[in-house]
Amino acid sequence: MASRWWRWRRGCSWRPAARSPEPGSPGLAGPPGPRAAADACSQAHRWKGLDLSQIPYFNLVKHLTSACPNIYSISRFHHTTPDSKTHSGEKYTDPFKLGWRDLKGLYEDIRKELLISTSELKEMSEYYFDGKGKAFRPIIVALMARACNIHHNNSRHVQASQRTIALIAEMIHTASLVHDDVIDDASSRRGKHTVNKIWGEKKAVLAGDLILSAASIALARIGNTTVISILTQVIEDLVRGEFLQLGSKENENERFAHYLEKTFKKTASLIANSCKAVSVLGCPDPVVHEIAYQYGKNIGIAFQLIDDVLDFTSCSDQMGKPTSADLKLGLATGPVLFACQQFPEMNAMIMRRFSLPGDVDRARQYVLQSDGVQQTTYLAQQYCHEAVREISKLRPSPERDALIQLSEIVLTRDK
């Protein structure tokens, strides 16, 4: 079956050109036969519980290619349609609608946290809290809070402190976007000009700082030292992740581990630790805290892997920001690192961070001619499988099933 990743969506027309393998160049193999598929299923079963970030680069590629019975299929997850029955036996609705029940007035409440007297600073700080974002992180946090509460004592309510964690997660995320746009000299995000583009870099940095300080005050009000410690780790990880992104590795095994570590610190740490924080507030069991953390970690890494795929396969209009942006910033993401296995000449480009004229266009063509997009998508699948395996340890509930469904949404999103 042709992969949905091999086409542009919603009117975008790119398709990979059909080509015959040239001498010495890799071809695209078809799906293996039944025996190979059975072997692959056995191999995939042995993957359960593995920390994928610890698998060396070449071994990772070997595992991916041998463990994938059909690299062109996206998902084998539990999938439900609206109003269908879930594992919990209760009526199921869209996970975003389910999570949003506890998040009504989210952006108004965030703006209340930003008590600013200066009109310009207020406008800058509130700029991205316009309700047009995906609110992916607050939704996950709200669903995790309910899932953990139900698991612990069948409580159907979200505590005020747990809801505050959802606000804090969105505030930290947004502050990091403002700062990232300064570092990357980005001019557009979410389909509009960035803060730094409108107000300048210096003021943008201050606006990001102010959002972080407001998030810290809200966190302190919760008054739980364990939760404070958990979420302050996120700030450290964001900074360390940005430093990792500024560097690179010559050794290919180290390069992929470096990429995954950066991905965790810059993206997944916030989701993982926010999930853990609401579990701590709702349940005293350390086992549940670890389940929440591992779910957030794995879904967060998968989310970023797909983001890196979309940088090559989606339209700028869909993404709300320029595509091929990572290459232009000199960054080698998953699709590039996998493509480098098929086209070793990319190594030199990676090490010079695509700085020579024509490097970006050539690297993009190498990625599209390789199976880097499919390999990265399959790696995201493995992280989603692990997220589902973890969250399935909780007592069945609509919220737990919604978190399972979110893993499918992460894989099949187009922006």
Side-chain angles (χ1 to χ4, degrees):
M1 188 174 81
S3 167
R4 71 184 70 189
W5 298 107
W6 277 111
R7 64 184 185 273
W8 286 44
R9 303 182 188 184
R10 296 182 184 172
C12 300
S13 60
W14 179 85
R15 294 175 186 271
R19 63 188 184 98
S20 301
E22 299 171 0
S25 70
L28 294 177
R35 182 174 178 181
D39 291 342
C41 288
S42 174
Q43 176 83 334
H45 179 74
R46 292 197 295 273
W47 271 37
K48 285 191 173 182
L50 284 179
D51 183 351
L52 298 179
S53 65
Q54 300 304 312
I55 302 176
Y57 176 75
F58 287 117
N59 289 340
L60 178 61
V61 177
K62 183 179 177 182
H63 274 292
L64 285 169
T65 52
S66 65
C68 185
N70 184 355
I71 201 167
Y72 299 104
S73 75
I74 285 292
S75 174
R76 301 184 189 89
F77 295 118
H78 159 71
H79 179 77
T80 57
T81 54
D83 296 327
S84 65
K85 294 280 187 176
T86 62
H87 295 154
S88 65
E90 299 186 37
K91 283 283 187 177
Y92 176 85
T93 56
D94 176 83
F96 284 89
K97 290 181 180 177
L98 196 62
W100 201 253
R101 290 182 309 176
D102 300 307
L103 297 173
K104 290 175 182 176
L106 170 74
Y107 293 107
E108 291 84 349
D109 290 342
I110 289 176
R111 288 194 289 269
K112 288 175 185 175
E113 295 289 343
L114 300 168
L115 294 173
I116 307 160
S117 57
T118 307
S119 60
E120 185 181 39
L121 188 54
K122 180 180 175 65
E123 186 180 1
M124 292 165 59
S125 302
E126 294 180 355
Y127 185 66
Y128 287 134
F129 298 119
D130 55 5
K132 295 181 181 178
K134 292 184 284 288
F136 180 72
R137 290 151 189 83
I139 292 289
I140 286 184
V141 172
L143 291 172
M144 183 62 74
R146 276 186 179 261
C148 291
N149 294 352
I150 290 169
H151 178 83
H152 173 51
N153 58 10
N154 209 30
S155 171
R156 301 277 164 166
H157 302 288
V158 169
Q159 301 171 26
S161 58
Q162 290 175 314
R163 186 179 183 278
T164 299
I165 298 296
L167 270 69
I168 291 169
E170 185 69 357
M171 292 169 77
I172 293 174
H173 170 59
T174 302
S176 73
L177 296 184
V178 174
H179 285 159
D180 279 357
D181 287 342
V182 172
I183 293 169
D184 300 340
D185 194 26
S187 59
S188 65
R189 182 178 292 279
R190 296 179 180 173
K192 60 183 184 180
H193 289 311
T194 55
V195 174
N196 52 291
K197 180 74 172 178
I198 298 172
W199 288 281
E201 292 184 356
K202 292 180 180 179
K203 289 182 178 179
V205 170
L206 295 174
D209 290 346
L210 190 140
I211 296 169
L212 276 178
S213 69
S216 299
I217 292 170
L219 178 59
R221 278 205 309 271
I222 292 175
N224 185 306
T225 55
T226 301
V227 168
I228 291 171
S229 177
I230 290 169
L231 283 178
T232 51
Q233 180 64 47
V234 174
I235 309 296
E236 178 184 335
D237 285 343
L238 283 169
V239 175
R240 290 185 181 276
E242 197 61 53
F243 268 90
L244 285 171
Q245 184 164 285
L246 294 172
S248 59
K249 299 285 185 181
E250 286 194 43
N251 179 277
E252 290 185 354
N253 286 329
E254 291 180 3
R255 190 184 292 158
F256 208 93
H258 182 93
Y259 164 65
L260 290 177
E261 184 183 3
K262 181 269 296 181
T263 297
F264 168 75
K265 290 187 182 300
K266 283 202 64 177
T267 302
S269 174
L270 174 59
I271 300 173
N273 284 295
S274 297
C275 286
K276 184 176 182 180
V278 291
S279 74
V280 167
L281 290 168
C283 175
D285 187 353
V287 173
V288 174
H289 305 165
E290 185 63 16
I291 290 170
Y293 178 87
Q294 290 297 330
Y295 175 86
K297 170 189 170 183
N298 284 286
I299 210 75
I301 292 175
F303 185 93
Q304 185 57 50
L305 289 171
I306 295 301
D307 216 52
D308 294 342
V309 163
L310 291 174
D311 199 42
F312 288 94
T313 63
S314 190
C315 303
S316 296
D317 288 345
Q318 286 175 261
M319 294 292 285
K321 57 185 178 181
T323 51
S324 296
D326 292 328
L327 286 176
K328 293 169 186 173
L329 291 170
L331 304 179
T333 57
V336 174
L337 296 177
F338 280 119
C340 187
Q341 267 237 295
Q342 292 174 257
F343 299 100
E345 53 267 42
M346 293 181 71
N347 270 307
M349 288 190 281
I350 290 172
M351 290 312 299
R352 63 177 178 256
R353 299 178 74 87
F354 312 105
S355 59
L356 293 184
D359 275 359
V360 169
D361 290 337
R362 280 196 296 148
R364 179 176 173 80
Q365 287 306 310
Y366 280 134
V367 169
L368 298 179
Q369 290 169 24
S370 74
D371 59 4
V373 164
Q374 303 100 304
Q375 295 281 33
T376 307
T377 301
Y378 188 72
L379 181 57
Q381 256 191 310
Q382 299 312 303
Y383 278 106
C384 280
H385 273 297
E386 186 61 20
V388 169
R389 191 180 74 86
E390 288 291 338
I391 201 65
S392 296
K393 296 174 184 177
L394 295 185
R395 178 187 297 183
S397 68
E399 287 75 17
R400 187 204 70 167
D401 292 339
L403 289 168
I404 292 173
Q405 180 72 1
L406 272 176
S407 64
E408 173 111 358
I409 292 171
V410 163
L411 288 173
T412 57
R413 68 192 181 94
D414 57 11
K415 62 180 181 179

